Amino acid sequence: MPTLYVARSKSLSEWAGDVGLTQHVFKVGVAATSGKEAVKTLNDERVAGQDDWALLQEKDAGALTEEQALARLAAKEKTVDPALYPRLKGESGVIKVKPANVENYIIVKRALANEESLAVKVTNAEIAAYLIENALR
């Protein structure tokens, strides 16, 4: 069963912050196996020149392909063009996330659920959930 996963590399995030992208960059992909095995492959192959990838979240992708997932995410967030950044080494699926978009998403979700506290501090786990939710829509 295909698995949609979101992974993060601390080193890549630091580099992205240094070059002016943002430190909120994540790798989104669909793997034929589990997310853990996909992240192990990312580390073994040193995707984007990094070997410190960590799995943030995974979910069953159903019939969703990686191309479909990335196209859906591109409607909400900016996909980093690997041709512009040689350090990415041609790797697609690197998404630049604006924390304000995630915050707005969480506030609206909580307001619709009639939760009292609407205060939000965006974490990597919440960003991963946001990416998965939007990729599956």
Side-chain angles (χ1 to χ4, degrees):
M1 90 181 162
T3 304
L4 176 67
Y5 67 90
V6 177
R8 178 179 181 266
S9 165
K10 185 176 180 187
S11 301
L12 186 68
S13 295
E14 289 172 358
W15 166 81
D18 290 344
V19 298
L21 271 172
T22 177
Q23 64 181 6
H24 303 287
V25 291
F26 299 85
K27 168 74 172 123
V28 177
V30 176
T33 59
S34 72
K36 286 182 181 181
E37 290 180 28
V39 169
K40 183 180 181 318
T41 303
L42 291 177
N43 286 324
D44 291 345
E45 294 177 1
R46 293 187 53 86
V47 169
Q50 308 303 320
D51 62 358
D52 64 341
W53 291 98
L55 179 67
L56 294 177
Q57 195 167 4
E58 64 182 319
K59 193 166 187 177
D60 180 24
L64 186 71
T65 65
E66 186 164 336
E67 292 78 23
Q68 291 170 328
L70 295 177
R72 291 176 183 179
L73 283 173
K76 294 276 187 179
E77 297 295 335
K78 180 154 174 58
T79 303
V80 179
D81 185 359
L84 296 177
Y85 298 96
R87 181 148 186 186
L88 296 180
K89 301 183 181 190
E91 186 62 35
S92 64
V94 178
I95 308 292
K96 172 183 164 180
V97 178
K98 291 183 180 176
N101 291 352
V102 179
E103 185 176 337
N104 290 340
Y105 169 81
I106 293 169
I107 288 171
V108 169
K109 192 173 178 181
R110 288 181 182 174
L112 291 173
N114 288 328
E115 292 184 20
E116 289 184 26
S117 174
L118 297 179
V120 176
K121 181 172 181 187
V122 178
T123 64
N124 288 332
E126 289 169 332
I127 292 173
Y130 166 80
L131 290 170
I132 286 179
E133 179 88 19
N134 284 299
L136 291 175
R137 283 188 188 181

